[in-house]
Amino acid sequence: MDDRLSDLSVTGLIDRLATSDPIPGGGSAAAVAGAMGAALVRMVVALTTGRPIAAEHEHELAQIEAAARAAQETLLRLADEDATAYDAVVRARRLPRDSDAEREARQEQVDRATREATRVPLRTAAAAASVLALAERLAPYGNRNAISDVAVGALLAAAAIRGAALNVRINVPYLPEDDPLRTDAEEALGPLLGDLEAREETVRTRVEERMR
């Protein structure tokens, strides 16, 4: 990766995703979606702060803004880390394997790179889950004129969780049989995915009620 994905324009990023080069791929796209969700949460916080109707929520609004900003920064960083991690996997698989020593060294590199390519989307899923939680907190009282953006932020965060989970699961089978990350990854994903549909529906229902 010669440049950071976060430095690209929207058109530049989409054009990069559209090429035959698998880097960046779905893991980076998931992280960017989560960052966009966080940005929408921040926007609604900005449009709510200072309004008389939200006076009793000023402290919580400040907390949500700080947490959403941190999540946005984390997810943008993870977009780059995901691309870097998969690039390392590709490079490791291309290492020579003509001798026993080369094959052993290559396998060590592949295993190391695959672990990182599994850990990064796990972190993406967790960060995106925090964005969804912030949208849930904001939905009951966020500025009604922008409340649909809370739902969009929640949907983007949920998509990021699902996309990141897929990227974890596609890598797990390539981990060594005795690698504890095989089990740890699934255990980490369980709580994030278990009630995801219900949480999406809760935000969507609350937002639709307020829109009416």
Side-chain angles (χ1 to χ4, degrees), residues 29-47 61-78 124-136 138 146 148-161:
V32 171
M36 291 172 64
L40 285 173
V41 168
R42 294 181 65 196
M43 182 187 76
V44 179
V45 166
L47 291 170
L61 284 166
Q63 291 181 328
I64 293 174
E65 154 61 25
R69 185 189 322 116
Q72 177 183 318
E73 293 170 356
T74 296
L75 285 157
L76 286 176
R77 185 178 69 251
L78 286 166
T124 297
S130 74
V131 175
L132 177 56
L134 295 173
E136 290 176 291
L138 186 58
S148 62
D149 295 297
V150 176
V152 175
L155 292 172
L156 286 168
I161 296 169

Side-chain angles (χ1 to χ4, degrees), residues 155-192:
L155 292 172
L156 286 168
I161 296 169
R162 291 192 176 94
L166 287 171
N167 277 268
V168 171
R169 286 173 168 165
I170 198 171
N171 285 309
V172 165
Y174 296 99
L175 293 169
E177 291 290 342
D178 60 348
D179 194 323
L181 187 55
R182 280 176 166 265
T183 301
D184 294 346
E186 198 57 45
E187 289 179 350
L189 289 177
L192 299 178

